[in-house]
Amino acid sequence: MKKSVISLGLASVAFVNVSMASNSTSAAKNEITVSAVYEGTPLVVAVAKGDIDTVKKFIEYGANVNEKADDMSPLMTAARYNKVEIIKVLLAAGARPSDKNEKGYTALKYAQLSNAAEAVAILKDAK
């Protein structure tokens, strides 16, 4: 009898846990959490996102294409993420490929570290 009561109690607890878990998962299906942290100037954020239209707008409105944020210039960020079209836009707007950060890295170095072959080719020509 004692074993029956314990078994019945464990079965009840297990059923309640499964029941609650199934209810919480159905509620979680309707909930989407997206989080991305971008730090830096608005131009650097646009570069990191790959938003070329916004990059062009910021440049048009006078954004400094050489301003560093989190020790990286917009060109370094574009090189790191192989954003080739953005690299071209930044270079045309006066971005300096020879600028170094506190680590002594240039945009070319970031492209090399990221194995961004297209970015490396453009930045080698830009020297």
Side-chain angles (χ1 to χ4, degrees):
M1 175 83 173
K2 194 174 186 180
K3 288 183 181 180
S4 300
V5 171
I6 292 173
S7 298
L8 183 59
L10 289 174
S12 298
V13 169
F15 177 77
V16 169
N17 284 339
V18 169
S19 160
M20 290 176 72
S22 67
N23 286 341
S24 66
T25 56
S26 64
K29 288 180 184 176
N30 297 331
E31 193 174 305
I32 298 174
T33 303
V34 178
S35 65
V37 177
Y38 293 102
E39 294 182 9
T41 65
L43 179 58
V44 170
V45 172
V47 169
K49 288 182 174 183
D51 189 349
I52 193 164
D53 293 330
T54 303
V55 169
K56 288 177 181 178
K57 283 288 182 194
F58 283 136
I59 292 170
E60 180 183 323
Y61 292 130
N64 181 351
V65 294
N66 294 302
E67 183 178 356
K68 291 185 180 136
D70 200 23
D71 201 33
M72 290 182 67
S73 69
L75 187 60
M76 291 173 187
T77 304
R80 180 178 183 187
Y81 297 113
N82 201 30
K83 307 289 185 184
V84 177
E85 294 304 314
I86 293 176
I87 291 171
K88 291 176 185 176
V89 169
L90 291 170
L91 289 171
R96 297 183 300 260
S98 60
D99 279 5
K100 295 182 179 182
N101 63 4
E102 290 178 10
K103 294 179 185 177
Y105 292 175
T106 62
L108 177 59
K109 180 67 174 177
Y110 278 107
Q112 291 168 336
L113 290 171
S114 299
N115 294 320
E118 295 169 325
V120 168
I122 291 171
L123 291 166
K124 280 186 177 180
D125 290 340
K127 282 187 170 184

